[in-house]
Amino acid sequence: MKQETVEKWELFRELLQKIHSYQEAVGLMYWDLRTGAPRKGAETRSVAIGLLSTEAFKMQTSTEMGEYLAYLNDPSVMAELDDTQRRMVLDVHEEYERSAKIPPEKYREYTELTAHAETLWVDYKEAGDFAGFEPYLTKIVEMNQQFIDYWGPKATRYDTLLHMYEPDLTVEKLDQVFGQLRDRLVPLVNAVTSSPNKPDTSFLDQQFTEDKQEKFSLFLLEQMGYDFEAGRVDETVHPFQTTLNHGDVRITTNYKRDDVASAMFSSLHEGGHALYEQNIAPELGDTPLGQGTSMGIHESQSRFWENMIGRSLPFWERYFGDLQKHFPGQFDNVTAKQFFLAVNHVENSLIRTEADELTYNLHIIVRYEIEKMLFNEGLPVSELPKVWNEKYQSYLGVTPPNDGVGVLQDSHWSGGLFGYFPSYALGNMYAAQIANTLRKELPQLDSLIAEGNFQPIKEWLTDKIYKYGKSRKPAEIIKAVTGEDLNPDYLADYLEQKFKAIYDL
Amino acid sequence: MKQETVEKWELFRELLQKIHSYQEAVGLMYWDLRTGAPRKGAETRSVAIGLLSTEAFKMQTSTEMGEYLAYLNDPSVMAELDDTQRRMVLDVHEEYERSAKIPPEKYREYTELTAHAETLWVDYKEAGDFAGFEPYLTKIVEMNQQFIDYWGPKATRYDTLLHMYEPDLTVEKLDQVFGQLRDRLVPLVNAVTSSPNKPDTSFLDQQFTEDKQEKFSLFLLEQMGYDFEAGRVDETVHPFQTTLNHGDVRITTNYKRDDVASAMFSSLHEGGHALYEQNIAPELGDTPLGQGTSMGIHESQSRFWENMIGRSLPFWERYFGDLQKHFPGQFDNVTAKQFFLAVNHVENSLIRTEADELTYNLHIIVRYEIEKMLFNEGLPVSELPKVWNEKYQSYLGVTPPNDGVGVLQDSHWSGGLFGYFPSYALGNMYAAQIANTLRKELPQLDSLIAEGNFQPIKEWLTDKIYKYGKSRKPAEIIKAVTGEDLNPDYLADYLEQKFKAIYDL
């Protein structure tokens, strides 16, 4: 490496380190707002979040950064760098190009708006008051429309948003794979929900104290290999995972007294996200490549651990005894098999996060179609509850009694995350496709699960996916791991096989 | 106001707001490290704290800040400002002048030295190894001596350090008040500790579960008027209060299974700090004047709520029944009076933080005299253990068996906080003097406490002290509230009266 390149690389890394410190502070301020910051401090906190995010944003788009990138992202210099360094330059450059198009004051306004709106959303959701929240949501949508203009629309305006969460994903591709999936899932859902062989779920209809649920969730996280010395677990209204730094990967869950399944599966879900982040190669940690490569791949890992491991029969053959011990007297006359069947009960329902593995994808398709209408067809925000309720009736056969369990149920839009929802269904598809390869390469998979021996599974995933962080694109990973591009048939096959067996079809 | 003044004021406030946001982020990162951040993330976190603190320091001493202050702190411009604005300019100017006198590389060296020394101190304290720690302490004292030269010595060199924590406090004044106090307290302590009428403390020697202690602490905080919507309570090894913003005033406590008094009184103590911060006038909130005016006045409020309210007989006449209810079966054969006596038990002891209300002041006087010797009389650091042990023997009749429970017991010196200790005793004196006026203006004070009706007390304190934040100097407040300057006789009178009654002298 030329001396000049050594120096420029050093300066580039120092600036990235500085940006990382700001992002860590901002990440912690968000986490804190959600895990119990006092209500009366939230407004000032939003200002601080806005200010520090803006400072980080300014550094990302600074002339300094521009100079380093101009120097480094030059073919003759790139040739001096190793593969990881090159990928880092390209990744930061792409971010730089996108961010530099947003005026800093717009950016600050947006972060303050969404930080504030996310706090307010909790109350409006509670009250089921869409009218109260509408002005904030309208403003957030407007600002996203402006951002699309700054970035320049792709094939459609909504494509621009999709690309942020899943590089190179398009409306055209999504229309195709979601179409293919819907065509296979709708008849399956109909068959399942009209089957007379319904699992008995009556024993789930009990009260479960929060402290017992907490102990069981922590136990499961420990079993799956979540590193408690590099993270912590808290309770929030809406569970999430956040990485503050490479040694601080936090998750949250939500304990519902009348629903014992909710917290345990959300813990496995967020734990899946966390395993990914905790097992990125240390040398990528705290760099721009030290994170999951896309929302879709991230979600494939959370859904894999939640559903393909956590909602499998071998898993409950291993852990049902522990469940009984954690909730003494509450599952005395139930078997592991019955519990497995009950937590795989399929029902058309209102709430995405509580939906079963099968209908879940329809919840996503509803949101995908609505977001497309908002950004590509000019649907006014005021129409959201009406369109939401109609689509729920038509795809899932249910209508929300109020907007708190309807259009206001998710935090995403209050945080400005338009284009994010498709990642969830994409995650399901990736997960099924990856699991198909995993099962070929670890044929003893079911016995490992039945022994609670997750180490080989975690190692395989680390070796194939986790360790690379963001240094491989999602499409590269899928191709390298499974030998082919995204193919929705693996998910449809998996769901068909699983639910036909459960519902005796 | 001239247009130019309006504009400059606006820019000045914007810069202050920005600095506040950085300080809020740094404050939260510290709070988080202490309340449960994961071990593996701590190193990266420290980098982020160092980086953002340095950025805030740079803004405080920036040429931009210098320009605003040069413009605003000019007699003709000051005449355009209102009283609060003027005080804000003067306050920020003083801070600016002090910080700007330290060469940045010295500041960095000192920050690194004290950060390192604070970490090492934990082990040297544990081992009782003063000789090992001596080189670090010597360097810290040397650098403080250099800072005194940069800042310019006042009447004596130690005065310069005192002034940082208690504006305008002097060695001359402290010699006088501490001398007066010592002359009255030493005979009182002797009489009390040799009295045959010792309170029975045997019923405190039990185990108390943490969740019961937590419920009782939260109950007491609620009773005293701590606003839980503008703060939160957590557990840490060492209790503290931290203000993140005007609506986010947090406290921590520590639940000790074998010591039920510890958490409840530390909750009242930190709650006292918090009441002060929560009741500063909202228009001062999140400005440099939106904080307690000095360490001494702050400590007067924590000690007032902890000792003068919390360790009073009327308080336990009101709350002993609640204590019994919170710890069923653990205080069945105890009376309110007996509990009051037990938590006021006096004993000559080695450790400041565990000392009773009476002997506590002697622990402080020892430290004050030693700091004065270090900075004004050239006492070599190597002599510290000898001087420490002699003074403990002479004032408190005890000699530390090793330096870990002697001269190394406090973290303050390892962090460079010379001149800080007097604030604690000053707080006790302020508290007694303020309480004397309070009792004249609210003659029904004892019955208010016995009714648990703290609202009038809180309102009086807010009106006289809290609302002003840092917009009044400590001496101004004491004079305005009590009609005279600091007078140690109020504390001596209060302690004499209280402990003569308790010990039946």
Side-chain angles (χ1 to χ4, degrees), chain A residues 315-495:
Chain A
F315 186 84
W316 289 108
E317 283 169 352
R318 166 63 186 84
Y319 290 109
F320 187 66
D322 292 291
L323 180 78
Q324 287 178 314
K325 268 185 226 130
H326 277 80
F327 300 93
Q330 298 199 267
F331 293 109
D332 282 356
N333 301 313
V334 183
T335 65
K337 178 76 185 282
Q338 286 172 317
F339 189 78
F340 156 75
L341 293 173
V343 297
N344 281 293
H345 167 70
V346 172
E347 194 176 25
N348 286 323
S349 65
L350 290 170
I351 307 293
R352 174 184 63 86
T353 56
E354 292 164 14
D356 55 81
E357 197 179 351
L358 177 55
T359 60
Y360 188 93
N361 301 287
L362 298 176
H363 289 259
I364 296 307
I365 293 173
V366 165
R367 286 158 179 76
Y368 167 66
E369 292 182 358
I370 291 178
E371 290 189 344
K372 234 179 10 169
M373 290 169 77
L374 272 175
F375 289 94
N376 288 353
E377 297 159 30
L379 178 74
V381 167
S382 58
E383 300 282 303
L384 280 177
K386 187 172 151 281
V387 177
W388 182 281
N389 294 353
E390 283 167 8
K391 286 198 181 283
Y392 260 76
Q393 189 56 50
S394 115
Y395 289 118
L396 286 145
V398 290
T399 295
N402 68 71
D403 292 333
V405 293
V407 69
L408 285 179
Q409 70 181 261
D410 297 304
S411 67
H412 300 59
W413 291 345
S414 71
L417 301 183
F418 293 98
Y420 186 112
F421 279 122
S423 315
Y424 293 113
L426 215 54
N428 289 336
M429 292 186 275
Y430 287 147
Q433 189 167 338
I434 291 164
N436 178 68
T437 306
L438 171 64
R439 197 173 284 279
K440 277 190 219 149
E441 300 189 9
L442 284 183
Q444 76 282 32
L445 183 62
D446 283 343
S447 23
L448 291 174
I449 299 172
E451 291 158 14
N453 182 7
F454 301 115
Q455 192 58 23
I457 302 170
K458 209 180 81 176
E459 278 169 14
W460 189 88
L461 290 166
T462 297
D463 189 51
K464 303 282 183 184
I465 303 172
Y466 298 171
K467 69 176 184 190
Y468 294 113
K470 209 181 169 190
S471 71
R472 298 281 179 281
K473 297 272 182 192
E476 271 182 278
I477 285 183
I478 289 302
K479 189 69 181 274
V481 177
T482 71
E484 61 178 309
D485 294 334
L486 172 65
N487 179 348
D489 280 337
Y490 291 106
L491 178 60
D493 290 348
Y494 157 80
L495 292 172

Side-chain angles (χ1 to χ4, degrees), chain A residues 17-18 20-22 24-25 28-29 31-32 35-41 44-45 47-48 51-52 55 227-232 244-245 247-248 250 286, chain B residues 17-18 20-22 24-25 28-29 31-32 35-41 44-45 47-48 51-52 55 227-232 244-245 247-248 250 286:
Chain A
Q17 166 66 61
K18 192 168 169 183
H20 186 277
S21 288
Y22 277 69
E24 176 163 352
L28 180 65
M29 290 195 282
W31 172 87
D32 183 65
T35 53
R39 195 179 61 75
K40 291 183 183 172
T44 304
R45 174 61 60 82
V47 174
L51 192 133
L52 290 182
E55 291 298 309
D227 182 353
F228 284 87
E229 292 201 328
R232 53 177 284 171
L244 299 180
N245 67 48
D248 193 349
R250 303 185 180 193
D286 304 331
Chain B
Q17 166 67 63
K18 191 169 169 183
H20 186 277
S21 288
Y22 277 69
E24 177 163 352
L28 180 66
M29 288 195 282
W31 173 88
D32 182 64
T35 53
R39 195 179 61 74
K40 292 183 182 171
T44 305
R45 174 63 59 81
V47 174
L51 192 131
L52 291 182
E55 292 296 310
D227 182 354
F228 284 87
E229 292 202 326
R232 55 177 284 172
L244 299 180
N245 68 48
D248 192 348
R250 303 185 180 193
D286 304 332

Side-chain angles (χ1 to χ4, degrees), chain A residues 1-2 36 46 53 70 84 96 105 113 118 136 181 207 221 231 241 255 280 286-287 308 316 360 382:
Chain A
M1 222 188 254
K2 286 199 302 281
S46 301
S53 309
T84 303
Y96 170 82
E105 65 278 10
L113 171 67
E118 278 188 289
Y136 300 95
L181 196 61
Q207 299 289 307
L221 285 164
Q241 181 271 317
Y255 305 108
I280 291 170
D286 304 331
T287 79
M308 293 176 189
W316 289 108
Y360 188 93
S382 58

